[in-house]
Amino acid sequence: MAQDKLVSPSFCYILAANFLLFFAFYLILPILPFYLQDQFNADRSMIGFILSCYTIAALCIRPFSGYLLDTFARRPLYLIAYAVFMVIFAGYMIASLLSLFIVFRILHGFAFGMVTVSGNTIVIDILPSSRRGEGIGYYGLANNIAMSFGPMTGLFMHTSFSYETIFACSLVSCFLGFIMAYLVKTPLKQTIKKEPISLDRFFLVKGTWAGISLLLLSIPYGMTTTYVAMYADEIGISVNSGLYFTFMAIGLAVSRLFSGRQVDKGRITLVISLGMYLAAASFFGLAALERLMRWNPGFTSYLYIGIALSQGVAFGTMFPAFNTLFVNLAPNSQRGTATSTYLTSWDVGIGIGLMAGGSIAQAFGGFNHAYLFGACLTILSTLFFLFKAGPHFNRNKLR
């Protein structure tokens, strides 16, 4: 029996749009703590607060994004959000006051929240249901490739170019991505009976337990993507911090090539569980680097890269599975709500990680304590999924 066709022009365009959007995002992500420190003399706690404003704003808009996408045409909303996200990069270049930068960061978070929910929902509309897990895996792979090149490029440019030049490169990347997004053709959205406003129109109630598990998992992930370069500088690791993101992205990319297919075979909870075990081990390893540097700096530098690779494999394994889990708990008419709930859970944890990571490092004198805290949360998330969220999904899934 022939498989449903996965690749189409619109699927290719949205992959390109997703890559260029996340490349712009990741290009500035690792240099923002340095930018705030150099330009505004912000301390670690203030940096954590400012960076978390972005995630909090994205979080606030997510539930409304899902409702709008389930109620109105999805493509126009996607394009508007993409355009706003693009323009904010120009705003960073003119932000001479810290308060103005914070305003732009909040607006950027709103746009990011909308454009990511829109993109994830549209790609689900484009994909055949029999190959949805595989397709979501490839869609996420575009993020991972961007994660491979974006932070590494940003950190490299940080040593040779001005911050304004880096922001301008992000603006150009987003402009090219907007062109790709404009070329995406979406299937005609079926008219559905309008339902009364309720909580389930903004948040997938059946996804609450899985959302809690994902939230706990995303806290240490948020600490890693934002502070791992500063952590490496703090403990004296000589390896270019950009390589951490590169190897993490390699792990994410490689794992997505097979995890999506396993998801399509119905092994969603197994895939998530295996990813959680590896994630917990990797965060404990990250926390141990500070002590290991006193013992053998050379070995610790190699381990630093190995941890990045294992983290990539862990999260790359789980991403398509968690995304599909939320979609499979919702009727087709609530795909936007399911996607926004999935991303909201992730963003809450990222936001907590941004604030907690800087604050714990400030209070206890090092990021190693923050990563130890994150590792313990990963263990808690694993236990919660095994005994609560996973069984709940198996009882309530619709497909």
Side-chain angles (χ1 to χ4, degrees):
M1 181 174 161
Q3 280 188 314
D4 291 325
K5 185 179 178 182
L6 178 64
V7 179
S8 65
S10 287
F11 184 60
C12 293
Y13 289 138
I14 202 167
L15 288 183
N18 197 41
F19 166 77
L20 290 163
L21 182 138
F22 275 90
F23 180 80
F25 171 77
Y26 280 118
L27 186 67
I28 69 167
L29 184 65
I31 63 102
L32 283 177
F34 299 107
Y35 175 72
L36 292 170
Q37 199 173 58
D38 294 344
Q39 299 295 113
F40 303 110
N41 296 315
D43 62 23
R44 288 176 177 177
S45 296
M46 179 58 70
I47 290 170
F49 167 75
I50 294 169
L51 296 182
S52 66
C53 288
Y54 180 92
T55 304
I56 293 169
L59 165 67
C60 291
I61 200 69
R62 294 269 197 226
F64 300 100
S65 300
Y67 174 76
L68 292 171
L69 290 163
D70 287 335
T71 307
F72 303 103
R74 288 165 181 161
R75 184 172 177 271
L77 292 171
Y78 177 51
L79 293 176
I80 291 169
Y82 207 121
V84 173
F85 185 82
M86 173 182 66
V87 169
I88 297 297
F89 285 108
Y92 288 149
M93 291 187 276
I94 63 170
S96 56
L97 300 174
L98 184 60
S99 57
L100 186 58
F101 182 90
I102 293 172
V103 169
F104 282 130
R105 197 68 183 150
I106 292 171
L107 293 175
H108 218 182
F110 284 139
F112 182 77
M114 185 68 196
V115 75
T116 47
V117 174
S118 304
N120 273 52
T121 306
I122 286 173
V123 80
I124 291 169
D125 288 341
I126 292 171
L127 291 168
S129 59
S130 63
R131 303 187 69 181
R132 185 171 291 153
E134 185 181 359
I136 290 172
Y138 289 126
Y139 182 75
L141 181 58
N143 300 6
N144 304 147
I145 296 172
M147 185 180 178
S148 176
F149 292 103
M152 182 176 65
T153 305
L155 288 169
F156 169 76
M157 292 181 71
H158 178 232
T159 62
S160 306
F161 299 93
S162 67
Y163 290 111
E164 288 74 17
T165 301
I166 300 173
F167 292 141
C169 288
S170 290
L171 178 62
V172 171
S173 177
C174 253
F175 176 72
L176 296 174
F178 180 79
I179 294 173
M180 294 295 103
Y182 184 79
L183 295 173
V184 174
K185 304 298 181 187
T186 57
L188 184 65
K189 190 168 178 284
Q190 294 181 347
T191 303
I192 59 171
K193 181 182 176 182
K194 289 196 174 182
E195 300 176 7
I197 300 297
S198 64
L199 176 61
D200 212 40
R201 300 294 291 156
F202 298 92
F203 182 84
L204 187 68
V205 176
K206 286 199 296 184
T208 301
W209 300 121
I212 293 171
S213 184
L214 183 60
L215 183 155
L216 292 171
L217 198 64
S218 63
I219 292 173
Y221 187 89
M223 294 178 186
T224 302
T225 55
T226 306
Y227 298 114
V228 75
M230 298 187 83
Y231 180 42
D233 285 344
E234 178 182 87
I235 64 177
I237 287 178
S238 57
V239 175
N240 188 319
S241 298
L243 288 176
Y244 191 94
F245 293 96
T246 300
F247 277 86
M248 189 175 182
I250 290 171
L252 283 160
V254 170
S255 59
R256 281 184 184 273
L257 295 177
F258 64 83
S259 63
R261 294 177 184 177
Q262 297 304 311
V263 168
D264 287 335
K265 292 178 181 178
R267 298 166 183 162
I268 294 176
T269 53
L270 175 62
V271 167
I272 292 174
S273 300
L274 292 175
M276 285 179 159
Y277 300 147
L278 184 56
S282 69
F283 283 115
F284 277 113
L286 197 59
L289 290 180
E290 190 268 341
R291 287 184 177 273
L292 291 173
M293 275 296 290
R294 305 175 195 171
W295 168 65
N296 190 325
F299 169 78
T300 305
S301 295
Y302 285 112
L303 182 61
Y304 176 73
I305 297 301
I307 289 171
L309 187 66
S310 64
Q311 276 188 355
V313 172
F315 284 96
T317 298
M318 289 184 284
F319 283 151
F322 261 117
N323 198 345
T324 305
L325 181 150
F326 280 91
V327 171
N328 286 359
L329 284 171
N332 291 337
S333 61
Q334 288 185 276
R335 282 177 180 170
T337 302
T339 301
S340 73
T341 303
Y342 159 65
L343 294 173
T344 296
S345 302
W346 183 251
D347 281 345
V348 171
I350 294 290
I352 294 172
L354 287 171
M355 289 187 288
S359 297
I360 292 172
Q362 186 87 8
F364 293 94
F367 285 107
N368 57 311
H369 296 94
Y371 290 121
L372 180 60
F373 173 71
C376 294
L377 288 180
T378 308
I379 293 292
L380 182 61
S381 173
T382 303
L383 293 173
F384 189 83
F385 183 82
L386 290 174
F387 294 106
K388 184 65 180 180
H392 176 268
F393 167 73
N394 288 324
R395 288 194 305 269
N396 293 277
K397 61 184 179 182
L398 299 180
R399 61 189 75 84

